[in-house]
Amino acid sequence: MKVKLGGEIKNYPAVWLKDDVVKFIDQRALPHEFTIFEARSYQDVAEAINTMIVRGAPAIGVAAAYGMALAARQPDASLESASEVLFATRPTAYDLDFALNYMKDACGTESVSAEKAAEAARSYADKIIERCKKIGENGEGLIKDGMNILTHCNAGALATVEYGTALAPMRLAAGKGKKFFVYVDETRPRLQGAKLTAWELNNEDIPCAVIADNAAGYYMKNKDIDIVITGADRIAALGDAANKIGTYEKAVLAKENGIPFYIAAPVSTFDADIQKGEDIPIENRDPEEVLELDGRKITPEGVDAKNPAFDVTPAKYIEGFITEIGILKPDQLKDTIFSKKISF
Amino acid sequence: MKVKLGGEIKNYPAVWLKDDVVKFIDQRALPHEFTIFEARSYQDVAEAINTMIVRGAPAIGVAAAYGMALAARQPDASLESASEVLFATRPTAYDLDFALNYMKDACGTESVSAEKAAEAARSYADKIIERCKKIGENGEGLIKDGMNILTHCNAGALATVEYGTALAPMRLAAGKGKKFFVYVDETRPRLQGAKLTAWELNNEDIPCAVIADNAAGYYMKNKDIDIVITGADRIAALGDAANKIGTYEKAVLAKENGIPFYIAAPVSTFDADIQKGEDIPIENRDPEEVLELDGRKITPEGVDAKNPAFDVTPAKYIEGFITEIGILKPDQLKDTIFSKKISF
């Protein structure tokens, strides 16, 4: 992704493997500081996922794959135990399961060489990048000149290594010279929209404005928004989709106002083993994320908070899924993405 | 309202007139500091409204009435010019128009004694307090033991001098020993829920939790919320209601999930001269309120924000209005609140 640094434009992926170190853009420090976190063990990678140095389902998957590559170098580690530790970091993103299974399949149950594990992890990352680019190509046609788009949270390159899921069609449309405007939900409590999506769009010179999450409905009702595109963390077989808390609200409001609501995601986010949204595990995070903002207490002493990190948008609110194999209606998932004919 | 200060419980109104000074709990400093702002002229009162030292439609109305009382003491001021300055502070709250008209009617067009003007302003404040108490009595029956209530922004004593509008039924239900729980939307960008409503409920020992605005839909869909009650800033003749940005989102989500959505407001918030919500003036506030939080920049340099302060909830989403004359359906407003038979 483009990163404007001191007047220059550089290119960075969100996460990459360099020799025996996994490097991450530290997403906790953005947009004010651009720093690189270095993980030298699968435990470091688990910490990076846990503390949200890296977040976003596809990027979590890639980070986990690289973590497995590091484990293959660690004399005291087994792929099995590394997989367990990495799997336990966050419950909602299906890409994490998917990537760990990919790595276990690629590396086998016998001891694997560090080179082979690194090659498998790099291959996983390359496939995710390629699939996100394809999502961009497949979704780009939805974006017309003059459109106003709403997005929630960050489903950009930071969340997927490169291109993004929801932001991939925008990057490709901008690359073709299309003019459009993006309303960015700030996405409390962690402000991934205000901090990360705004940073990515600004680096790409795509016009945007941050809005309070509360204002999205206002703009939808005023017909100021033409299309909503978000990412997802896990999509069930019937098309119900878990994504960042607040996504469900936007989907209901989009439906109510006749605005098409799309979810962009690669095959690694689709969980064939879960039928319905109700069965997707939802992470509850530390209430301090709500009680504080950037480490500053905003609520009175003695007041509690609740902090579900994700919600589930039922399939009936979803106009389509923008995937690497095309744009699919929820009822088309069964015979396409979930038909098991897609090799990864 | 009850205020816990250094281990003691004291009683304060949100705004009051003491001799020739209007005193306000400075709502910008809550919940961390409890300070009193003193206004010694109508210009000071206008500043207090402008800078949101005081906010909430009924409290803005009372502040304006007190501002007129100060103007009657100021040798260089006329009620007419004071009224113009106060009226120009904020566009959406109808209580401001209502209170200024009340004061002009009470004081006449001729020069009025400072005593008479102060008496009229105190009478206006007393009537608002009495009406809010009545709103509490009329709405209290909606709250059943074991219920979970959602509220948005602050429609408490801070917004109305005493009792509140949305919070009045909760105060009275708690006073009767009913047990219930309140989900408090934090209400970005200015966090009136997290800062003010949580502070009021905590002072009253009413159990509550602050949630990100994004999480309200999650709890509604999970059937964790039984009723939604908010205040309003202006209600049009057909029952469309302007309130803090995000209220529309909650109303649509409540409807979608079969949860009754109520607005609590006194007659001073109902504007007979405006038929439909589209005609209610909506204030756009400084984008910095979104770009910063408590003075700290959260977004990247060079990124813009949009900041509408209110939205309009169409009557079709509103189960009823909790008023001082009873709970009214939107289609009952015409023959009740708007029949002009209510003297204030």
Side-chain angles (χ1 to χ4, degrees):
Chain A
M1 77 195 87
K2 283 188 204 165
V3 178
K4 291 181 185 167
L5 281 177
E8 275 186 278
I9 294 174
K10 300 198 173 181
N11 262 292
Y12 279 92
V15 49
W16 67 102
L17 180 66
K18 170 89 176 153
D19 303 325
D20 53 354
V21 181
V22 184
K23 300 195 179 193
F24 300 86
I25 297 177
D26 188 341
Q27 301 190 33
R28 301 170 310 177
L30 292 177
H32 304 309
E33 286 174 45
F34 183 83
T35 56
I36 304 299
F37 176 83
E38 298 191 348
R40 294 173 186 278
S41 65
Y42 76 83
Q43 293 93 337
D44 288 351
V45 171
E47 188 204 336
I49 299 172
N50 239 325
T51 59
M52 295 180 73
I53 288 168
V54 65
R55 26 63 54 205
I60 287 172
V62 171
Y66 285 146
M68 293 287 273
L70 294 190
R73 289 177 183 269
Q74 292 175 246
D76 56 339
S78 75
L79 288 192
E80 199 49 56
S81 60
S83 171
E84 278 172 26
V85 168
L86 289 162
F87 179 76
T89 50
R90 298 195 68 195
T92 305
Y94 181 63
D95 297 70
L96 182 57
D97 314 32
F98 190 92
L100 291 171
N101 287 331
Y102 176 94
M103 287 298 290
K104 284 188 273 190
D105 287 351
C107 296
T109 47
E110 300 302 304
S111 85
V112 64
S113 72
E115 289 65 34
K116 191 177 168 195
E119 193 187 312
R122 283 207 173 87
S123 158
Y124 183 82
D126 288 346
K127 286 175 182 177
I128 288 292
I129 295 168
E130 188 51 42
R131 279 157 191 268
C132 286
K133 185 180 179 196
K134 200 83 191 142
I135 286 171
E137 290 165 0
N138 290 340
E140 176 271 320
L142 294 171
I143 300 173
K144 315 287 181 200
D145 253 322
M147 263 194 176
N148 292 319
I149 305 168
L150 174 71
T151 191
H152 189 73
C153 195
N154 173 265
L158 290 168
T160 66
V161 189
E162 289 286 4
Y163 297 105
T165 49
L167 295 200
M170 301 182 212
R171 278 196 161 86
L172 272 77
K176 283 194 169 182
K178 292 186 188 175
K179 302 291 178 207
F180 56 92
F181 184 86
V182 186
Y183 287 85
V184 179
D185 276 350
E186 65 174 6
T187 318
R188 278 282 286 156
R190 291 186 66 103
L191 297 165
Q192 293 94 332
K195 293 185 168 187
L196 307 181
T197 299
W199 182 79
E200 284 197 39
L201 293 173
N202 198 42
N203 282 335
E204 299 282 341
D205 293 320
I206 295 174
C208 68
V210 176
I211 57 172
D213 302 301
N214 282 322
Y218 170 86
Y219 287 110
M220 286 197 237
K221 181 160 159 285
N222 287 358
K223 307 289 172 212
D224 288 326
I225 289 169
D226 302 297
I227 185 171
V228 185
I229 312 177
T230 75
D233 287 79
R234 190 184 297 244
I235 300 159
L238 293 173
D240 305 335
N243 191 43
K244 182 52 52 195
I245 192 75
T247 304
Y248 165 70
E249 296 196 355
K250 304 317 156 196
V252 169
L253 286 155
K255 187 81 158 187
E256 189 75 1
N257 288 286
I259 299 163
F261 178 91
Y262 286 92
I263 280 180
V267 63
S268 52
T269 308
F270 289 80
D271 182 357
D273 292 333
I274 283 188
Q275 280 293 302
K276 293 178 311 209
E278 292 88 314
D279 300 325
I280 299 177
I282 297 295
E283 179 183 8
N284 277 286
R285 293 183 60 84
D286 192 338
E288 290 300 318
E289 291 185 349
V290 177
L291 297 170
E292 295 185 352
L293 204 140
D294 279 354
R296 277 163 73 148
K297 184 96 169 171
I298 52 177
T299 49
E301 285 303 324
V303 167
D304 201 7
K306 290 175 187 275
N307 187 18
F310 301 93
D311 59 24
V312 172
T313 298
K316 67 177 174 179
Y317 301 107
I318 300 167
E319 178 75 17
F321 293 91
I322 310 171
T323 76
E324 63 270 55
I325 62 164
I327 299 175
L328 307 167
K329 299 270 178 198
D331 62 9
Q332 293 178 304
L333 296 180
K334 190 170 161 284
D335 297 325
T336 54
I337 285 276
F338 287 118
S339 69
K340 304 280 188 196
K341 284 177 215 141
I342 301 164
S343 67
F344 190 88
Chain B
M1 77 195 85
K2 283 188 204 164
V3 178
K4 291 181 185 168
L5 281 177
E8 275 186 278
I9 294 174
K10 300 197 173 181
N11 262 293
Y12 279 91
V15 48
W16 68 102
L17 180 65
K18 170 88 176 156
D19 303 324
D20 54 353
V21 181
V22 184
K23 299 194 178 193
F24 300 86
I25 297 177
D26 188 341
Q27 301 189 32
R28 300 169 310 176
L30 292 176
H32 304 306
E33 287 174 45
F34 183 83
T35 56
I36 305 298
F37 175 84
E38 299 192 348
R40 295 174 186 277
S41 65
Y42 75 82
Q43 292 93 337
D44 288 351
V45 171
E47 188 204 335
I49 299 173
N50 239 326
T51 59
M52 296 180 72
I53 288 168
V54 64
R55 26 65 52 205
I60 287 172
V62 170
Y66 285 146
M68 293 288 273
L70 294 190
R73 288 177 185 270
Q74 292 174 244
D76 56 339
S78 74
L79 287 191
E80 198 49 54
S81 60
S83 171
E84 278 172 25
V85 168
L86 290 162
F87 179 76
T89 50
R90 299 195 68 193
T92 304
Y94 180 63
D95 298 70
L96 181 57
D97 313 34
F98 190 91
L100 292 171
N101 286 331
Y102 176 94
M103 286 299 290
K104 284 188 274 190
D105 288 351
C107 297
T109 48
E110 301 302 304
S111 86
V112 64
S113 72
E115 289 66 32
K116 190 177 168 192
E119 194 186 309
R122 282 208 174 86
S123 159
Y124 183 82
D126 288 346
K127 286 175 182 179
I128 288 292
I129 294 168
E130 190 50 44
R131 280 157 190 268
C132 285
K133 187 180 177 194
K134 200 84 191 139
I135 285 171
E137 289 165 2
N138 290 339
E140 176 271 319
L142 294 171
I143 300 174
K144 316 286 181 203
D145 253 322
M147 263 193 176
N148 293 318
I149 305 168
L150 174 72
T151 192
H152 189 71
C153 196
N154 173 265
L158 289 168
T160 66
V161 189
E162 288 287 4
Y163 297 103
T165 49
L167 294 200
M170 300 182 212
R171 277 196 164 84
L172 274 77
K176 284 195 171 182
K178 291 186 189 174
K179 303 290 177 207
F180 56 93
F181 184 87
V182 187
Y183 287 85
V184 179
D185 275 350
E186 63 172 7
T187 318
R188 277 282 287 155
R190 290 186 67 103
L191 296 165
Q192 292 95 332
K195 292 185 169 187
L196 306 181
T197 299
W199 182 78
E200 285 197 39
L201 293 173
N202 198 42
N203 283 334
E204 300 281 341
D205 293 320
I206 296 174
C208 68
V210 176
I211 57 172
D213 302 302
N214 282 323
Y218 171 85
Y219 286 110
M220 287 198 237
K221 181 160 160 285
N222 287 357
K223 307 290 172 212
D224 288 326
I225 289 169
D226 301 298
I227 185 171
V228 186
I229 313 178
T230 75
D233 287 80
R234 189 185 298 245
I235 299 159
L238 293 173
D240 305 336
N243 191 44
K244 181 52 54 197
I245 192 74
T247 305
Y248 164 69
E249 296 195 357
K250 304 317 156 197
V252 169
L253 286 154
K255 186 81 157 186
E256 189 75 2
N257 287 287
I259 300 164
F261 178 91
Y262 287 91
I263 281 180
V267 62
S268 52
T269 308
F270 289 81
D271 182 358
D273 292 333
I274 283 187
Q275 281 293 302
K276 294 178 310 210
E278 292 88 313
D279 299 325
I280 299 177
I282 297 295
E283 177 182 10
N284 277 286
R285 292 184 60 86
D286 191 338
E288 290 300 318
E289 290 185 351
V290 178
L291 298 170
E292 294 185 352
L293 201 139
D294 282 352
R296 276 163 74 149
K297 184 95 168 172
I298 52 178
T299 50
E301 285 303 323
V303 166
D304 201 7
K306 291 174 186 275
N307 187 17
F310 302 93
D311 59 26
V312 172
T313 298
K316 68 177 173 179
Y317 300 108
I318 301 168
E319 179 74 18
F321 293 92
I322 310 170
T323 76
E324 63 270 55
I325 62 165
I327 299 174
L328 307 167
K329 298 269 176 198
D331 62 9
Q332 294 177 303
L333 296 180
K334 190 169 160 286
D335 297 326
T336 53
I337 285 277
F338 287 119
S339 68
K340 303 279 187 198
K341 285 177 215 140
I342 303 164
S343 67
F344 190 86

